[in-house]
Amino acid sequence: MKRISILLLTASSLAVPACTSDATQPGGGGDDGTGPGSGSGSQDEWQTQLNSRVTDYNAALRIASLRLTGDLPTVTEINQIAKAPDDASKKTAYETIVRDYIGRPAFAKQMFAFWQDTFKIGGTPAFDTAPAFAAKLSVENGSYMDLFTKSANNCPTFANGVFADVECTNGGPKAGVLTNPGVMASFTSNLAFRRVRWIQETFDCVRFPAELGGTPQDVGGASLYTGQWPFTSIASPTNGGGRVNFQDASSAMCAHCHQTLNHIAPLFGNYDATGAYKTTIQVTVPLPGAPVAQLNDWLPPGDTTAWRYQKSAMDIPGLGAAMAADPEIAKCGVARIWNWALGKTDIVDTLQEVPTETIQSQIDAFTQNGFKMKDLIFAVFTSSDFVAF
């Protein structure tokens, strides 16, 4: 049977230009009051499609087996479901098989590959430790929040289906994958901005700007400033002596992204191009001669680092703690597992976003159950939406 993706058939997942008429959208009915969602009594066509789905445990089993083990289900497994006498028995058989899948050695290999793809890093021993750490948490039903808060053994190895604890040796603070040497080396850049972008897009599932919705302000630019942070909280040559004008608003509102970027990036400035932590700033400023950055290149005097506005983070462990307390981080983690389960592409790269209402029950269970990774994966692959076609 043809699978209807719950990610694509939810109205809130469709990107619609602000100035586009409803009549140009899929299923749009123009302004005559007869289109989907018009309140005229007609049913939204996407909801009609969703309601037409039927439960098919054998079809779900094929997908689950490929995702969780890398192989198709066996004839025995297929028959366990096919020969079950009723829907309740089929459901029990299916869930038993899925639980068996996530207990197999092959599951560890699948999770390792998943995290390599998600982190956009891996392929050599030096760059595989962050994916190995996340895969280990997944296989051992660890807390997702250990990705940001764990203070030891954050650089495990993975070989022949076996994880081995290893301490990261790049010095400095320890906070899950946030201080991983392979990550720091892979995403080195001027002013550490690529490192922050990796954190933002991987774990919050949205691109910068991340904090809009503030009271619109005329700052003398081509558009209004609508950030949450005060416009004066980022550096410029006239605001604390910064060498880059992050307050430039002549053509684009730079501050919309940099209000957040500049409050996180200094935390990662002490890692050199190899991912080693030093006691002084190592990243450079994109100016002739590539001078080494100074704190006032990011922030004016008196401003301090933070995860979000009024969410202070004085060091990287503090940043990890703030991230772990942010509900958006948990939601992003659930959404990424959903995209993987349904064979969708990257949430940020291709904007295949998962509507919150689609995954709210999994978010609630994930949050209430200590953010356990294997439990989340089981919940997604056995949900009523996953087994419906």
Side-chain angles (χ1 to χ4, degrees), residues 129-268:
T129 57
F133 179 61
K136 188 172 185 287
L137 290 177
S138 304
V139 170
E140 297 178 355
N141 205 22
S143 170
Y144 183 74
M145 299 311 166
D146 279 357
L147 287 172
F148 321 113
T149 62
K150 197 167 187 290
S151 60
N153 294 321
N154 294 341
C155 287
T157 59
F158 179 67
N160 301 317
V162 177
F163 297 99
D165 282 338
V166 178
E167 186 60 78
C168 297
T169 59
N170 59 326
K174 306 298 180 188
V177 299
L178 300 182
T179 54
N180 182 274
V183 170
M184 294 296 104
S186 292
F187 299 101
T188 188
S189 69
N190 289 314
L191 290 163
F193 286 150
R194 286 190 69 219
R195 292 165 178 166
V196 181
R197 179 183 172 184
W198 178 80
I199 291 168
Q200 169 65 29
E201 295 186 0
T202 303
F203 301 115
D204 195 27
C205 288
V206 295
R207 295 172 178 166
F208 285 116
E211 297 181 272
L212 298 180
T215 301
Q217 301 175 52
D218 185 352
V219 294
S223 60
L224 298 177
Y225 174 65
T226 59
Q228 296 289 332
W229 287 88
F231 185 70
T232 56
S233 69
I234 54 176
S236 75
T238 59
N239 186 31
R243 287 171 286 183
V244 178
N245 186 11
F246 293 112
Q247 292 183 324
D248 180 38
S250 58
S251 59
M253 187 59 66
C254 299
H256 280 155
C257 290
H258 286 281
Q259 58 167 330
T260 308
L261 266 167
N262 285 30
H263 284 88
I264 301 173
L267 297 172
F268 297 94

Side-chain angles (χ1 to χ4, degrees), residues 67-89:
R67 298 278 189 276
L68 300 173
T69 74
D71 290 314
L72 288 166
T74 66
V75 173
T76 299
E77 291 164 350
I78 292 170
N79 285 336
Q80 284 177 327
I81 294 174
K83 294 181 179 180
D86 52 44
D87 287 344
S89 300

